Amino acid sequence: MTPLQPVSRCALNNAELALCQRVYDRIISARPLVSNAEREDLASMIIRSYQHGVMDEDALVRLLS
């Protein structure tokens, strides 16, 4: 038996990635980010929040908007 990985180390499946992409698109449409660094930071925060248990699309948007 293998030890369980922390949630933050697990890969996302296609449905989870699609949810994160929708959140990203919703936030960007309301608040355009100019730099690549800002966009990368937002994407990282969305994935990190999802992996740490915020799995509802609307909750992610509210949290990160």
Side-chain angles (χ1 to χ4, degrees):
M1 179 159 48
T2 60
L4 295 175
Q5 293 184 35
V7 174
S8 62
R9 306 276 305 204
C10 297
L12 300 179
N13 65 34
N14 289 340
E16 294 168 325
L17 284 174
L19 182 144
C20 290
Q21 181 67 54
R22 287 192 305 272
V23 170
Y24 178 87
D25 292 341
R26 286 174 61 184
I27 294 171
I28 291 295
S29 70
R31 177 188 61 160
L33 301 176
V34 178
S35 74
N36 284 336
E38 289 175 311
R39 290 188 291 269
E40 289 173 8
D41 287 345
L42 174 60
S44 295
M45 288 187 295
I46 292 168
I47 291 171
R48 190 171 34 254
S49 296
Y50 183 88
Q51 289 176 323
H52 284 94
V54 184
M55 297 179 165
D56 178 74
E57 187 171 331
D58 292 328
L60 281 166
V61 170
R62 283 190 306 272
L63 178 68
L64 299 167
S65 291

